[in-house]
Amino acid sequence: MNVYIATPVNGRTEATLEAKQAAALARVEYLERCYKAVYGSDVTCWSSFDLMYPREVREMSEGEILGQCVRVIIDKIDVIFIDQGWTDSKGCSVEAMAAYQYGKKCEYWQQFKEKYAIQLRMAGIITKKPFEQECAEGKFEFDPTRSF
């Protein structure tokens, strides 16, 4: 199963673009672990970060990156996993609309988390603590100085 993880980047509260990207990447890695805990390891996850590497690709405009994301959504994925805050994100909104228009299955973080809470807790992936607190405790990598 191919899954695209749509999470906001520019709409985040971190001060710099690099910090926003680092926080969003940590969030993507966390959501990927959640999805694989429920559906198994036979899941391939995609995100906009997969399209921002190698370094020379980082020179692409936001529109070019979003265009490549939409192409992946249309051509390669079965499911789009939409994170909280997507309605305030222009990029996530475009990704969600493309998935909907092309008949892809859409799963939303809040409903997913509620539906699979027991499985996710048993796997030690979610707790009652907020994600940001778990990052601060070192459970997930969050490096605001990470270079993109």
Side-chain angles (χ1 to χ4, degrees), residues 6 13 18 29 32 39 58 66 88 98 107 112 120 122 125 134 139 142 148:
T13 59
E18 290 79 18
E29 291 167 352
E32 182 174 347
Y39 290 105
R58 295 185 203 151
L66 186 56
D88 297 325
E107 291 200 302
F112 180 87
L120 294 170
M122 288 176 65
I125 292 175
E134 290 180 342
K139 187 168 183 179
F142 175 80
F148 287 89

Side-chain angles (χ1 to χ4, degrees), residues 26 29-30 33 120-121 123-142:
E29 291 167 352
Y30 170 76
R33 286 185 57 212
L120 294 170
R121 282 199 178 102
I125 292 175
I126 65 168
T127 64
K128 293 185 178 182
K129 298 176 187 176
F131 171 73
E132 289 76 14
Q133 184 178 348
E134 290 180 342
C135 284
E137 293 172 359
K139 187 168 183 179
F140 299 99
E141 179 183 335
F142 175 80

Side-chain angles (χ1 to χ4, degrees), residues 38-39 107 111-120:
V38 170
Y39 290 105
E107 291 200 302
Q111 289 88 355
F112 180 87
K113 185 171 109 175
E114 290 168 8
K115 184 175 181 179
Y116 298 109
I118 293 172
Q119 271 181 276
L120 294 170

Side-chain angles (χ1 to χ4, degrees), residues 3-4 10 18 46 67 70 76 89 101 107 115 123 139 143-144 147:
V3 178
Y4 185 90
N10 291 326
E18 290 79 18
W46 296 77
V70 169
K76 296 187 179 197
S89 166
Q101 289 293 324
E107 291 200 302
K115 184 175 181 179
K139 187 168 183 179
D143 180 2
S147 175

